[in-house]
Every structure is written in structure tokens, then in C-alpha cells.
Amino acid sequence: MTLNAMRGHIDRLIANLRVTRFHFADDLDIRWIDDREEAMAITDADPVEIHLPHIRSTLDYATCLHELGHVSGRYQDSKSSKTRERWAWQYAREHALFWTAEMEEDARASMWRP
């Protein structure tokens, strides 16, 4: 899988998100960042902000999918942060064009990070 294919897939998911969840382009602010460790979705902001890493690896791709999962995934209104994280990763797995052992290891490790 090429980086361009991963980038194109994320772009299509964002475009679909804009159509299905947000009615106006101004309701969703996508910010591209350099450090995937700083990726986040701020769902209580107006507009909703998603900080996504530039895709330079499969782990960046997985992180993008995960952050989109915080907006589109199941159980994101749970009071439990562990539940929200687990289901954002589930969204990532379900929507990925592919899923590697390295991506799975990173997802599992992130569940233990504070």
C-alpha cells in the first residue's frame, strides 16, 4: 500500500464525514500536524477540530483513522475514556484498507498510555 493510497483514503473518509455528519464545511476543522503523538479530536469545540498527522507511515495512517473514529465511531459519548479509546480503535480497524501487526501493537500500546 502506498502513502498516496493511504492519504487518498483518509481524504475520502474526511469528505464523507463532512457530508454525513457535518452540514457545513465550517463545522469541521481538520488540522494537519507533524507529530502523531499530538493527534487529537476535540469534539466539544465549535467547530469540531481533528488534528491529524501527515501520513508518512502506516502508524500515521492508523492514527488518522483512530482520530476520525473519535468523531464517527460508536460509543464516543461514553463517560469512560477507555471505552471511547477502545471504540475509536475499533473504527480504525474496520475502516482501514489494511491492518498490520505493527498497527495493532501501536493501538494496544496506546490504550496503556495516560
Side-chain angles (χ1 to χ4, degrees):
M1 181 68 49
T2 68
L3 291 176
N4 283 337
M6 289 184 270
R7 290 175 186 136
H9 182 236
I10 294 299
D11 287 343
R12 286 188 299 280
L13 289 173
I14 291 169
N16 187 54
L17 180 60
R18 287 186 191 279
V19 170
T20 59
R21 180 136 185 324
F22 299 96
H23 302 289
F24 302 99
D26 293 344
D27 290 342
L28 178 62
D29 183 15
I30 302 294
R31 297 185 186 187
W32 294 97
I33 60 174
D34 290 323
D35 184 355
R36 76 181 182 92
E37 296 295 325
E38 295 181 12
M40 68 179 80
I42 308 170
T43 58
D44 58 352
D46 186 17
V48 168
E49 288 182 26
I50 308 175
H51 300 202
L52 301 174
H54 294 285
I55 299 173
R56 295 178 289 234
S57 71
T58 58
L59 295 182
D60 293 335
Y61 173 64
T63 300
C64 287
L65 290 164
H66 171 78
E67 295 307 330
L68 293 174
H70 279 301
V71 176
S72 294
R74 298 175 67 192
Y75 305 114
Q76 293 306 302
D77 57 352
S78 172
K79 291 181 182 183
S80 167
S81 63
K82 289 291 185 190
T83 297
R84 292 190 307 271
E85 287 299 308
R86 182 173 50 246
W87 283 95
W89 280 116
Q90 186 59 33
Y91 173 94
R93 289 179 193 95
E94 290 173 1
H95 289 82
L97 295 173
F98 64 94
W99 196 257
T100 67
E102 181 183 35
M103 293 160 76
E104 184 61 28
E105 183 180 324
D106 189 60
R108 290 180 188 268
S110 77
M111 294 297 295
W112 295 104
R113 291 182 203 134

